[in-house]
Amino acid sequence: MHGRATILEIATTKYEIDLEIVSAAMDELQTLCGVKEGFLISKPMERFGWAFFKVLIKTELFSGMELKLGDQIAKTKGKKLEDKFIAFMTKFFENKNAKVKVKLVDD
């Protein structure tokens, strides 16, 4: 996770609504970290009423998040850093009213 791009997979049953919320939340993170163009969002893949899309968090934004939000991420539930980061991002999106499931994509 350190020093490289991080990919989240987002699962939702309300794609249009949650895409807008996730995108706005990621914009907010960019502003907080002073980064421009720090993430990309993929086109969705739909299956069984669910839509799955990926959010690529570029290295510069991820580093900024570690710097600005590292303490909050460290206090989040989970044993490993990856678990804490996923729990933090899930809660971050939930606080914006997105009803999504988040997981880390291993490359």
Side-chain angles (χ1 to χ4, degrees):
M1 254 173 76
H2 292 285
R4 65 184 175 98
T6 300
I7 301 171
L8 304 177
E9 182 176 75
I10 312 289
T12 178
T13 57
K14 296 182 176 10
Y15 173 71
E16 296 296 329
I17 294 166
D18 287 335
L19 173 65
E20 207 169 297
I21 294 169
V22 167
S23 184
M26 292 304 298
D27 281 336
E28 187 179 312
L29 284 173
Q30 282 188 144
T31 301
L32 176 71
C33 297
V35 174
K36 291 190 184 317
E37 299 179 20
F39 69 95
L40 298 170
I41 296 179
S42 72
K43 299 269 186 241
M45 180 183 67
E46 298 188 42
R47 244 192 252 159
F48 307 112
W50 284 83
F52 302 88
F53 62 98
K54 292 182 172 78
V55 177
L56 170 78
I57 302 173
K58 295 181 182 178
T59 307
E60 185 182 7
L61 178 56
F62 187 79
S63 296
M65 289 172 66
E66 283 184 312
L67 199 63
K68 300 270 185 185
L69 303 167
D71 290 347
Q72 288 178 323
I73 294 168
K75 292 176 187 168
T76 306
K77 190 174 78 172
K79 288 185 178 167
K80 297 187 293 186
L81 177 61
E82 289 85 0
D83 297 337
K84 290 176 182 286
F85 184 69
I86 291 302
F88 175 83
M89 291 304 294
T90 300
K91 194 63 146 168
F92 187 75
F93 293 141
E94 283 174 359
N95 287 340
K96 309 287 182 206
N97 294 319
K99 293 178 177 44
V100 296
K101 296 189 182 305
V102 181
K103 79 178 203 183
L104 200 59
V105 176
D106 296 321
D107 50 351

